[in-house]
Amino acid sequence: MRIINIAFLFVLLFAKSFGKSIKSKELEIDSSKYYWISSNWLGDDKVLGSGCWSLSTEIKLSDKEDDGCQKWKFTPLHDGWYRITGASNHLAIDVIYDDNKDTLVFNPASDILGQPWKFIPVEHPAYQGYSYLQSWIAQDKYLDIVNAGNRDQVKLKPKGNYTGMMWKLTEAPAPK
């Protein structure tokens, strides 16, 4: 058992350094590649964006385009947790540590509690390839699309069987 633990630790430490992928159940993320993040509810044509469309650092959904504002890199941290950074601004998705722990912002990538995220595969045959996106700092909450207005805002909400909480990664070409 000790040999297995040492081997696992070795894989975790060196996967980050060498851009290897770490498999988390069904979902495999290659940290050397870029990805679009889309929801089951709004489909592949609406993707999570990193706020390039203005001076804002707002995290929201927008029509899919081939630019760095909608492409994401994943840095493996530990036990299937990742830091998610925007390809254009190199800032990480972070959760504000307040009473609600549900507001998302961008911050420089660092080892703080609001930046680790984990993809939890949806365990239903109709939703194969989709995962819930769980926050480390608010482990009882998951990324969700706010069902109001333009349906482009995201927030952390308690887990439910909602297609706005089911996310898919699609490999994207590197930004130009």
Side-chain angles (χ1 to χ4, degrees), residues 41 52 81 149-150 154:
W41 184 36
C52 290
W81 293 91
N150 295 331
V154 291

Side-chain angles (χ1 to χ4, degrees), residues 40-164:
N40 180 276
W41 184 36
L42 298 178
D44 291 343
D45 293 333
K46 290 276 188 190
V47 295
L48 202 59
S50 62
C52 290
W53 41 85
S54 69
L55 296 177
S56 165
T57 56
E58 189 176 25
I59 302 163
K60 66 181 188 175
L61 291 154
S62 59
D63 292 334
K64 183 173 166 181
E65 296 178 21
D66 189 19
D67 64 27
C69 301
Q70 299 172 335
K71 296 176 184 179
W72 302 92
K73 291 283 276 188
F74 293 82
T75 303
L77 300 174
H78 57 85
D79 297 331
W81 293 91
Y82 293 86
R83 180 178 302 111
I84 305 171
T85 53
S88 61
N89 61 13
H90 307 288
L91 297 174
I93 298 176
D94 197 355
V95 179
I96 292 178
Y97 191 76
D98 60 8
D99 290 340
N100 295 326
K101 295 184 190 90
D102 62 0
T103 303
L104 303 172
V105 295
F106 279 112
N107 275 319
S110 64
D111 293 327
I112 57 177
L113 295 176
Q115 292 185 4
W117 295 88
K118 189 176 223 176
F119 286 87
I120 311 295
V122 176
E123 294 183 12
H124 189 286
Y127 302 112
Q128 279 190 335
Y130 287 92
S131 299
Y132 298 105
L133 191 49
Q134 180 184 31
S135 162
W136 170 266
I137 199 168
Q139 290 193 18
D140 60 333
K141 294 185 178 179
Y142 300 79
L143 189 66
D144 188 22
I145 300 169
V146 177
N147 188 10
N150 295 331
R151 296 183 181 153
D152 63 354
Q153 304 298 310
V154 291
K155 199 165 194 155
L156 291 178
K157 297 284 186 178
K159 186 176 179 183
N161 190 24
Y162 310 115
T163 56

